[in-house]
mmCIF file of all heavy atoms in Angstrom:
data_model
loop_
_atom_site.group_PDB
_atom_site.id
_atom_site.type_symbol
_atom_site.label_atom_id
_atom_site.label_comp_id
_atom_site.label_asym_id
_atom_site.label_seq_id
_atom_site.Cartn_x
_atom_site.Cartn_y
_atom_site.Cartn_z
ATOM 1 N N ARG A 644 24.671 -39.380 -9.948
ATOM 2 C CA ARG A 644 25.159 -38.006 -9.966
ATOM 3 C C ARG A 644 26.493 -38.022 -10.697
ATOM 4 O O ARG A 644 27.367 -38.824 -10.396
ATOM 5 C CB ARG A 644 25.355 -37.445 -8.562
ATOM 6 C CG ARG A 644 25.847 -35.993 -8.582
ATOM 7 C CD ARG A 644 25.940 -35.390 -7.191
ATOM 8 N NE ARG A 644 24.678 -35.445 -6.454
ATOM 9 C CZ ARG A 644 23.667 -34.583 -6.609
ATOM 10 N NH1 ARG A 644 23.760 -33.602 -7.463
ATOM 11 N NH2 ARG A 644 22.571 -34.717 -5.884
ATOM 12 N N ILE A 645 26.631 -37.141 -11.659
ATOM 13 C CA ILE A 645 27.861 -37.009 -12.427
ATOM 14 C C ILE A 645 28.425 -35.625 -12.134
ATOM 15 O O ILE A 645 27.742 -34.619 -12.331
ATOM 16 C CB ILE A 645 27.596 -37.162 -13.939
ATOM 17 C CG1 ILE A 645 26.964 -38.538 -14.211
ATOM 18 C CG2 ILE A 645 28.875 -36.974 -14.734
ATOM 19 C CD1 ILE A 645 26.311 -38.668 -15.564
ATOM 20 N N VAL A 646 29.652 -35.583 -11.636
ATOM 21 C CA VAL A 646 30.309 -34.310 -11.344
ATOM 22 C C VAL A 646 31.499 -34.194 -12.285
ATOM 23 O O VAL A 646 32.385 -35.049 -12.289
ATOM 24 C CB VAL A 646 30.769 -34.219 -9.877
ATOM 25 C CG1 VAL A 646 31.498 -32.902 -9.627
ATOM 26 C CG2 VAL A 646 29.581 -34.361 -8.934
ATOM 27 N N ALA A 647 31.489 -33.140 -13.086
ATOM 28 C CA ALA A 647 32.556 -32.916 -14.050
ATOM 29 C C ALA A 647 33.190 -31.554 -13.816
ATOM 30 O O ALA A 647 32.488 -30.547 -13.753
ATOM 31 C CB ALA A 647 32.012 -32.988 -15.482
ATOM 32 N N CYS A 648 34.502 -31.538 -13.666
ATOM 33 C CA CYS A 648 35.253 -30.291 -13.636
ATOM 34 C C CYS A 648 35.804 -30.134 -15.045
ATOM 35 O O CYS A 648 36.544 -30.997 -15.524
ATOM 36 C CB CYS A 648 36.405 -30.359 -12.651
ATOM 37 S SG CYS A 648 35.849 -30.526 -10.968
ATOM 38 N N ILE A 649 35.402 -29.076 -15.695
ATOM 39 C CA ILE A 649 35.817 -28.866 -17.079
ATOM 40 C C ILE A 649 36.405 -27.472 -17.238
ATOM 41 O O ILE A 649 36.099 -26.564 -16.465
ATOM 42 C CB ILE A 649 34.654 -29.091 -18.068
ATOM 43 C CG1 ILE A 649 33.430 -28.242 -17.711
ATOM 44 C CG2 ILE A 649 34.281 -30.559 -18.138
ATOM 45 C CD1 ILE A 649 32.268 -28.375 -18.665
ATOM 46 N N GLU A 650 37.240 -27.353 -18.239
ATOM 47 C CA GLU A 650 37.908 -26.089 -18.510
ATOM 48 C C GLU A 650 37.731 -25.767 -19.986
ATOM 49 O O GLU A 650 37.865 -26.660 -20.832
ATOM 50 C CB GLU A 650 39.389 -26.245 -18.171
ATOM 51 C CG GLU A 650 40.191 -24.982 -18.223
ATOM 52 C CD GLU A 650 41.606 -25.250 -17.717
ATOM 53 O OE1 GLU A 650 42.253 -26.179 -18.233
ATOM 54 O OE2 GLU A 650 42.029 -24.520 -16.817
ATOM 55 N N GLY A 651 37.415 -24.514 -20.265
ATOM 56 C CA GLY A 651 37.236 -24.115 -21.652
ATOM 57 C C GLY A 651 36.730 -22.694 -21.757
ATOM 58 O O GLY A 651 36.638 -21.966 -20.773
ATOM 59 N N ASP A 652 36.370 -22.343 -22.951
ATOM 60 C CA ASP A 652 35.829 -21.029 -23.261
ATOM 61 C C ASP A 652 34.462 -20.876 -22.581
ATOM 62 O O ASP A 652 33.655 -21.799 -22.583
ATOM 63 C CB ASP A 652 35.700 -20.913 -24.788
ATOM 64 C CG ASP A 652 35.026 -19.640 -25.203
ATOM 65 O OD1 ASP A 652 35.696 -18.598 -25.184
ATOM 66 O OD2 ASP A 652 33.825 -19.695 -25.544
ATOM 67 N N ASN A 653 34.206 -19.702 -22.001
ATOM 68 C CA ASN A 653 32.950 -19.442 -21.283
ATOM 69 C C ASN A 653 31.707 -19.733 -22.116
ATOM 70 O O ASN A 653 30.774 -20.361 -21.644
ATOM 71 C CB ASN A 653 32.917 -17.980 -20.826
ATOM 72 C CG ASN A 653 32.999 -17.859 -19.332
ATOM 73 O OD1 ASN A 653 32.898 -18.827 -18.608
ATOM 74 N ND2 ASN A 653 33.197 -16.642 -18.875
ATOM 75 N N ALA A 654 31.700 -19.260 -23.341
ATOM 76 C CA ALA A 654 30.536 -19.461 -24.212
ATOM 77 C C ALA A 654 30.329 -20.949 -24.483
ATOM 78 O O ALA A 654 29.194 -21.441 -24.479
ATOM 79 C CB ALA A 654 30.707 -18.698 -25.520
ATOM 80 N N ALA A 655 31.414 -21.668 -24.701
ATOM 81 C CA ALA A 655 31.324 -23.108 -24.963
ATOM 82 C C ALA A 655 30.788 -23.846 -23.736
ATOM 83 O O ALA A 655 29.951 -24.750 -23.864
ATOM 84 C CB ALA A 655 32.686 -23.657 -25.364
ATOM 85 N N LEU A 656 31.239 -23.447 -22.557
ATOM 86 C CA LEU A 656 30.771 -24.106 -21.337
ATOM 87 C C LEU A 656 29.284 -23.837 -21.109
ATOM 88 O O LEU A 656 28.558 -24.712 -20.629
ATOM 89 C CB LEU A 656 31.615 -23.672 -20.141
ATOM 90 C CG LEU A 656 33.102 -24.053 -20.216
ATOM 91 C CD1 LEU A 656 33.848 -23.524 -19.000
ATOM 92 C CD2 LEU A 656 33.304 -25.543 -20.363
ATOM 93 N N ASP A 657 28.820 -22.637 -21.459
ATOM 94 C CA ASP A 657 27.386 -22.332 -21.372
ATOM 95 C C ASP A 657 26.597 -23.225 -22.327
ATOM 96 O O ASP A 657 25.530 -23.738 -21.988
ATOM 97 C CB ASP A 657 27.120 -20.867 -21.694
ATOM 98 C CG ASP A 657 27.571 -19.927 -20.590
ATOM 99 O OD1 ASP A 657 27.743 -20.386 -19.439
ATOM 100 O OD2 ASP A 657 27.771 -18.726 -20.887
ATOM 101 N N GLU A 658 27.115 -23.407 -23.546
ATOM 102 C CA GLU A 658 26.474 -24.264 -24.549
ATOM 103 C C GLU A 658 26.384 -25.705 -24.055
ATOM 104 O O GLU A 658 25.372 -26.378 -24.242
ATOM 105 C CB GLU A 658 27.232 -24.232 -25.873
ATOM 106 C CG GLU A 658 26.967 -23.002 -26.708
ATOM 107 C CD GLU A 658 25.514 -22.880 -27.133
ATOM 108 O OE1 GLU A 658 24.895 -23.887 -27.536
ATOM 109 O OE2 GLU A 658 24.979 -21.761 -27.038
ATOM 110 N N ILE A 659 27.459 -26.178 -23.445
ATOM 111 C CA ILE A 659 27.476 -27.546 -22.915
ATOM 112 C C ILE A 659 26.369 -27.720 -21.874
ATOM 113 O O ILE A 659 25.625 -28.696 -21.908
ATOM 114 C CB ILE A 659 28.856 -27.890 -22.318
ATOM 115 C CG1 ILE A 659 29.886 -28.033 -23.443
ATOM 116 C CG2 ILE A 659 28.786 -29.149 -21.477
ATOM 117 C CD1 ILE A 659 31.328 -28.101 -22.955
ATOM 118 N N SER A 660 26.245 -26.766 -20.952
ATOM 119 C CA SER A 660 25.200 -26.849 -19.917
ATOM 120 C C SER A 660 23.817 -26.894 -20.553
ATOM 121 O O SER A 660 22.961 -27.700 -20.148
ATOM 122 C CB SER A 660 25.296 -25.668 -18.951
ATOM 123 O OG SER A 660 26.431 -25.796 -18.141
ATOM 124 N N ARG A 661 23.578 -26.038 -21.549
ATOM 125 C CA ARG A 661 22.272 -26.018 -22.221
ATOM 126 C C ARG A 661 21.999 -27.355 -22.924
ATOM 127 O O ARG A 661 20.886 -27.881 -22.873
ATOM 128 C CB ARG A 661 22.189 -24.865 -23.208
ATOM 129 C CG ARG A 661 21.879 -23.538 -22.547
ATOM 130 C CD ARG A 661 21.490 -22.465 -23.557
ATOM 131 N NE ARG A 661 22.611 -21.976 -24.333
ATOM 132 C CZ ARG A 661 23.506 -21.093 -23.908
ATOM 133 N NH1 ARG A 661 23.401 -20.590 -22.693
ATOM 134 N NH2 ARG A 661 24.481 -20.695 -24.687
ATOM 135 N N TYR A 662 23.021 -27.910 -23.575
ATOM 136 C CA TYR A 662 22.871 -29.192 -24.261
ATOM 137 C C TYR A 662 22.507 -30.290 -23.255
ATOM 138 O O TYR A 662 21.599 -31.078 -23.495
ATOM 139 C CB TYR A 662 24.161 -29.562 -25.000
ATOM 140 C CG TYR A 662 24.144 -30.964 -25.551
ATOM 141 C CD1 TYR A 662 23.504 -31.244 -26.757
ATOM 142 C CD2 TYR A 662 24.737 -32.015 -24.860
ATOM 143 C CE1 TYR A 662 23.463 -32.533 -27.263
ATOM 144 C CE2 TYR A 662 24.700 -33.312 -25.357
ATOM 145 C CZ TYR A 662 24.068 -33.563 -26.557
ATOM 146 O OH TYR A 662 24.029 -34.841 -27.036
ATOM 147 N N LEU A 663 23.232 -30.331 -22.137
ATOM 148 C CA LEU A 663 22.970 -31.361 -21.128
ATOM 149 C C LEU A 663 21.548 -31.265 -20.592
ATOM 150 O O LEU A 663 20.882 -32.280 -20.390
ATOM 151 C CB LEU A 663 23.979 -31.253 -19.980
ATOM 152 C CG LEU A 663 25.433 -31.566 -20.324
ATOM 153 C CD1 LEU A 663 26.318 -31.349 -19.107
ATOM 154 C CD2 LEU A 663 25.582 -32.979 -20.862
ATOM 155 N N GLU A 664 21.078 -30.038 -20.356
ATOM 156 C CA GLU A 664 19.717 -29.833 -19.859
ATOM 157 C C GLU A 664 18.673 -30.366 -20.833
ATOM 158 O O GLU A 664 17.587 -30.756 -20.442
ATOM 159 C CB GLU A 664 19.467 -28.353 -19.577
ATOM 160 C CG GLU A 664 20.193 -27.859 -18.354
ATOM 161 C CD GLU A 664 20.158 -26.348 -18.181
ATOM 162 O OE1 GLU A 664 19.747 -25.625 -19.128
ATOM 163 O OE2 GLU A 664 20.549 -25.884 -17.099
ATOM 164 N N GLY A 665 19.017 -30.401 -22.119
ATOM 165 C CA GLY A 665 18.085 -30.871 -23.146
ATOM 166 C C GLY A 665 18.074 -32.371 -23.343
ATOM 167 O O GLY A 665 17.179 -32.908 -24.000
ATOM 168 N N LEU A 666 19.032 -33.088 -22.784
ATOM 169 C CA LEU A 666 19.063 -34.546 -22.931
ATOM 170 C C LEU A 666 17.958 -35.182 -22.100
ATOM 171 O O LEU A 666 17.760 -34.816 -20.938
ATOM 172 C CB LEU A 666 20.413 -35.113 -22.484
ATOM 173 C CG LEU A 666 21.616 -34.854 -23.380
ATOM 174 C CD1 LEU A 666 22.886 -35.385 -22.709
ATOM 175 C CD2 LEU A 666 21.435 -35.519 -24.733
ATOM 176 N N GLU A 667 17.252 -36.152 -22.669
ATOM 177 C CA GLU A 667 16.153 -36.774 -21.920
ATOM 178 C C GLU A 667 16.642 -37.650 -20.775
ATOM 179 O O GLU A 667 15.899 -37.907 -19.833
ATOM 180 C CB GLU A 667 15.229 -37.552 -22.845
ATOM 181 C CG GLU A 667 15.800 -38.818 -23.421
ATOM 182 C CD GLU A 667 14.789 -39.562 -24.272
ATOM 183 O OE1 GLU A 667 14.193 -38.937 -25.160
ATOM 184 O OE2 GLU A 667 14.603 -40.757 -24.017
ATOM 185 N N THR A 668 17.897 -38.091 -20.822
ATOM 186 C CA THR A 668 18.445 -38.916 -19.730
ATOM 187 C C THR A 668 18.935 -38.068 -18.559
ATOM 188 O O THR A 668 19.192 -38.598 -17.487
ATOM 189 C CB THR A 668 19.613 -39.790 -20.237
ATOM 190 O OG1 THR A 668 20.563 -38.951 -20.862
ATOM 191 C CG2 THR A 668 19.141 -40.865 -21.177
ATOM 192 N N ILE A 669 19.047 -36.760 -18.760
ATOM 193 C CA ILE A 669 19.507 -35.862 -17.700
ATOM 194 C C ILE A 669 18.299 -35.269 -16.986
ATOM 195 O O ILE A 669 17.408 -34.692 -17.605
ATOM 196 C CB ILE A 669 20.398 -34.719 -18.270
ATOM 197 C CG1 ILE A 669 21.615 -35.283 -18.996
ATOM 198 C CG2 ILE A 669 20.804 -33.762 -17.159
ATOM 199 C CD1 ILE A 669 22.608 -36.021 -18.132
ATOM 200 N N ILE A 670 18.261 -35.431 -15.680
ATOM 201 C CA ILE A 670 17.148 -34.958 -14.867
ATOM 202 C C ILE A 670 17.356 -33.505 -14.441
ATOM 203 O O ILE A 670 16.435 -32.698 -14.453
ATOM 204 C CB ILE A 670 16.988 -35.859 -13.613
ATOM 205 C CG1 ILE A 670 16.700 -37.298 -14.051
ATOM 206 C CG2 ILE A 670 15.917 -35.321 -12.672
ATOM 207 C CD1 ILE A 670 16.895 -38.335 -12.960
ATOM 208 N N GLN A 671 18.597 -33.163 -14.056
ATOM 209 C CA GLN A 671 18.891 -31.823 -13.560
ATOM 210 C C GLN A 671 20.367 -31.523 -13.786
ATOM 211 O O GLN A 671 21.209 -32.397 -13.659
ATOM 212 C CB GLN A 671 18.575 -31.762 -12.067
ATOM 213 C CG GLN A 671 18.867 -30.450 -11.406
ATOM 214 C CD GLN A 671 18.584 -30.503 -9.907
ATOM 215 O OE1 GLN A 671 17.898 -31.401 -9.415
ATOM 216 N NE2 GLN A 671 19.133 -29.567 -9.175
ATOM 217 N N VAL A 672 20.673 -30.267 -14.097
ATOM 218 C CA VAL A 672 22.058 -29.810 -14.257
ATOM 219 C C VAL A 672 22.262 -28.594 -13.371
ATOM 220 O O VAL A 672 21.446 -27.672 -13.381
ATOM 221 C CB VAL A 672 22.370 -29.434 -15.730
ATOM 222 C CG1 VAL A 672 23.783 -28.887 -15.862
ATOM 223 C CG2 VAL A 672 22.184 -30.635 -16.645
ATOM 224 N N ASP A 673 23.344 -28.608 -12.594
ATOM 225 C CA ASP A 673 23.708 -27.460 -11.759
ATOM 226 C C ASP A 673 25.137 -27.059 -12.070
ATOM 227 O O ASP A 673 26.033 -27.905 -12.067
ATOM 228 C CB ASP A 673 23.649 -27.820 -10.265
ATOM 229 C CG ASP A 673 22.276 -27.681 -9.675
ATOM 230 O OD1 ASP A 673 21.598 -26.694 -10.002
ATOM 231 O OD2 ASP A 673 21.886 -28.559 -8.892
ATOM 232 N N ASP A 674 25.347 -25.790 -12.335
ATOM 233 C CA ASP A 674 26.700 -25.254 -12.463
ATOM 234 C C ASP A 674 27.105 -24.836 -11.058
ATOM 235 O O ASP A 674 26.728 -23.769 -10.584
ATOM 236 C CB ASP A 674 26.730 -24.073 -13.427
ATOM 237 C CG ASP A 674 28.131 -23.536 -13.655
ATOM 238 O OD1 ASP A 674 29.059 -23.902 -12.895
ATOM 239 O OD2 ASP A 674 28.307 -22.749 -14.594
ATOM 240 N N LEU A 675 27.851 -25.702 -10.376
ATOM 241 C CA LEU A 675 28.208 -25.443 -8.980
ATOM 242 C C LEU A 675 29.200 -24.299 -8.843
ATOM 243 O O LEU A 675 29.341 -23.729 -7.759
ATOM 244 C CB LEU A 675 28.775 -26.709 -8.337
ATOM 245 C CG LEU A 675 27.801 -27.888 -8.229
ATOM 246 C CD1 LEU A 675 28.490 -29.088 -7.587
ATOM 247 C CD2 LEU A 675 26.556 -27.515 -7.458
ATOM 248 N N SER A 676 29.870 -23.953 -9.914
ATOM 249 C CA SER A 676 30.843 -22.855 -9.874
ATOM 250 C C SER A 676 30.186 -21.544 -9.488
ATOM 251 O O SER A 676 30.843 -20.639 -8.990
ATOM 252 C CB SER A 676 31.515 -22.688 -11.229
ATOM 253 O OG SER A 676 31.998 -23.923 -11.686
ATOM 254 N N ARG A 677 28.898 -21.448 -9.722
ATOM 255 C CA ARG A 677 28.159 -20.222 -9.430
ATOM 256 C C ARG A 677 27.401 -20.307 -8.107
ATOM 257 O O ARG A 677 26.558 -19.470 -7.811
ATOM 258 C CB ARG A 677 27.196 -19.925 -10.566
ATOM 259 C CG ARG A 677 27.934 -19.709 -11.874
ATOM 260 C CD ARG A 677 27.032 -19.550 -13.025
ATOM 261 N NE ARG A 677 27.850 -19.376 -14.234
ATOM 262 C CZ ARG A 677 27.370 -19.313 -15.433
ATOM 263 N NH1 ARG A 677 26.086 -19.394 -15.638
ATOM 264 N NH2 ARG A 677 28.179 -19.164 -16.458
ATOM 265 N N LYS A 678 27.706 -21.371 -7.327
ATOM 266 C CA LYS A 678 27.023 -21.588 -6.060
ATOM 267 C C LYS A 678 28.042 -21.972 -5.008
ATOM 268 O O LYS A 678 29.178 -22.310 -5.308
ATOM 269 C CB LYS A 678 25.984 -22.705 -6.206
ATOM 270 C CG LYS A 678 24.918 -22.363 -7.218
ATOM 271 C CD LYS A 678 23.941 -23.464 -7.408
ATOM 272 C CE LYS A 678 22.896 -22.961 -8.410
ATOM 273 N NZ LYS A 678 22.090 -23.967 -8.945
ATOM 274 N N ASP A 679 27.609 -21.957 -3.759
ATOM 275 C CA ASP A 679 28.449 -22.411 -2.663
ATOM 276 C C ASP A 679 28.304 -23.925 -2.591
ATOM 277 O O ASP A 679 27.193 -24.442 -2.516
ATOM 278 C CB ASP A 679 27.977 -21.748 -1.368
ATOM 279 C CG ASP A 679 28.969 -21.914 -0.239
ATOM 280 O OD1 ASP A 679 30.147 -22.257 -0.504
ATOM 281 O OD2 ASP A 679 28.559 -21.716 0.917
ATOM 282 N N PHE A 680 29.432 -24.645 -2.648
ATOM 283 C CA PHE A 680 29.350 -26.100 -2.631
ATOM 284 C C PHE A 680 30.474 -26.721 -1.822
ATOM 285 O O PHE A 680 31.473 -26.090 -1.526
ATOM 286 C CB PHE A 680 29.337 -26.671 -4.056
ATOM 287 C CG PHE A 680 30.601 -26.464 -4.853
ATOM 288 C CD1 PHE A 680 31.573 -27.470 -4.910
ATOM 289 C CD2 PHE A 680 30.809 -25.300 -5.575
ATOM 290 C CE1 PHE A 680 32.730 -27.293 -5.656
ATOM 291 C CE2 PHE A 680 31.955 -25.122 -6.327
ATOM 292 C CZ PHE A 680 32.927 -26.117 -6.372
ATOM 293 N N VAL A 681 30.260 -27.988 -1.457
ATOM 294 C CA VAL A 681 31.230 -28.789 -0.720
ATOM 295 C C VAL A 681 31.801 -29.796 -1.712
ATOM 296 O O VAL A 681 31.042 -30.432 -2.439
ATOM 297 C CB VAL A 681 30.550 -29.565 0.436
ATOM 298 C CG1 VAL A 681 31.552 -30.445 1.158
ATOM 299 C CG2 VAL A 681 29.876 -28.616 1.389
ATOM 300 N N ASP A 682 33.131 -29.925 -1.738
ATOM 301 C CA ASP A 682 33.724 -30.910 -2.637
ATOM 302 C C ASP A 682 34.730 -31.769 -1.896
ATOM 303 O O ASP A 682 35.316 -31.340 -0.906
ATOM 304 C CB ASP A 682 34.394 -30.233 -3.836
ATOM 305 C CG ASP A 682 35.597 -29.404 -3.466
ATOM 306 O OD1 ASP A 682 35.422 -28.301 -2.912
ATOM 307 O OD2 ASP A 682 36.726 -29.858 -3.710
ATOM 308 N N ARG A 683 34.903 -32.982 -2.373
ATOM 309 C CA ARG A 683 35.869 -33.914 -1.825
ATOM 310 C C ARG A 683 36.459 -34.739 -2.960
ATOM 311 O O ARG A 683 35.815 -34.955 -3.984
ATOM 312 C CB ARG A 683 35.234 -34.871 -0.799
ATOM 313 C CG ARG A 683 34.800 -34.208 0.482
ATOM 314 C CD ARG A 683 36.001 -33.700 1.291
ATOM 315 N NE ARG A 683 35.604 -33.043 2.506
ATOM 316 C CZ ARG A 683 35.391 -31.730 2.627
ATOM 317 N NH1 ARG A 683 35.510 -30.925 1.592
ATOM 318 N NH2 ARG A 683 35.057 -31.211 3.789
#
Side-chain angles (χ1 to χ4, degrees):
R644 181 175 304 279
I645 301 164
V646 178
C648 295
I649 54 178
E650 188 174 53
D652 174 78
N653 248 350
L656 297 178
D657 287 340
E658 282 298 317
I659 289 169
S660 289
R661 280 193 287 281
Y662 171 81
L663 294 177
E664 288 170 349
L666 288 175
E667 71 177 51
T668 54
I669 301 294
I670 299 164
Q671 178 183 343
V672 177
D673 275 318
D674 183 347
L675 296 179
S676 310
R677 299 174 181 174
K678 299 178 178 165
D679 193 17
F680 66 96
V681 177
D682 66 285
R683 291 293 179 268

